[in-house]
Structure formats: C-alpha cells, structure tokens
Amino acid sequence: MPAAALKPKPTQSTAKRAVPLDLPYEPVEKRPLPPGRPRDWYVTHNRRLKAMRLAIALLDSGVHLPNQARNETIRSAAELIGVHPPSDTTCHMVRALMRYSR
C-alpha cells in the first residue's frame, strides 16, 4: 500500500480553515433563549453554560482533575475569564463535568 494512502485526510471542518487553538478566550455570540419555559429551566440552563465555560477555562489553565479544582480555584478562573463568581452549586457542577468527561 502506498504511503500516501496511509496519510489521514483532513476532516471537512478543518480542511477549509485553520483552527485557532491558541487565541485567548472569547465568548460566543449570545442568542435569545426560547420563551415559555419555567423560570427554573432558565436558571439551570444558564448554570450549566457557566459550568461548562469554567470547566473549559480550568482545563486550558492546566487543572485536569476534579480534586485540583477547589472553589477558590474555580472562582479565580471565573475572574480570569470575566464571569461573575460562581455559587457553591455551580462549583460542584464544574467538578462533576470534569469528572464525567474522563
């Protein structure tokens, strides 16, 4: 088999454009949430989004294990990326996201 046949082909998403991995964190464009849901749904949804942002920021900063992510570490990451300090519940959710992604 020729060596060219063994070379992996680039995926469609990266073939046409470069993937900027080393750029600083920039929030995605916000879209309005769907209307008509109970208030609790919106609170939970926003908490999950915040926890995901914080988990990504921690992973990017070198915190890879949930036991390394104390509340103070998570809150300092929140300050670094420019979001309000998370509650204890959100900090717990960040650690859970880090735990279950392994």
Side-chain angles (χ1 to χ4, degrees):
M1 183 176 262
L6 298 175
K7 186 176 179 182
K9 295 181 181 178
T11 61
Q12 184 178 9
S13 63
T14 60
K16 297 177 183 160
R17 58 184 167 74
V19 179
L21 295 176
D22 294 332
L23 296 178
Y25 171 79
E26 187 174 316
V28 295
E29 182 180 332
K30 291 187 178 184
R31 298 182 317 196
L33 293 174
R37 305 268 172 111
R39 185 179 193 290
D40 187 48
W41 183 89
Y42 296 104
V43 171
T44 304
H45 176 77
N46 288 330
R47 179 171 279 144
R48 285 179 183 152
L49 290 178
K50 186 176 195 175
M52 283 190 286
R53 283 189 212 105
L54 288 168
I56 290 168
L58 287 169
L59 291 169
D60 287 345
S61 69
V63 177
H64 298 289
L65 298 174
N67 60 357
Q68 294 174 328
R70 297 186 327 271
N71 287 357
E72 299 82 27
T73 309
I74 296 171
R75 289 187 176 115
S76 66
E79 184 179 331
L80 184 69
I81 64 172
V83 297
H84 289 286
S87 65
D88 290 343
T89 304
T90 305
C91 290
H92 180 75
M93 192 177 285
V94 169
R95 285 188 290 274
L97 281 171
M98 293 175 76
R99 185 174 303 116
Y100 295 125
S101 66
R102 307 193 111 234

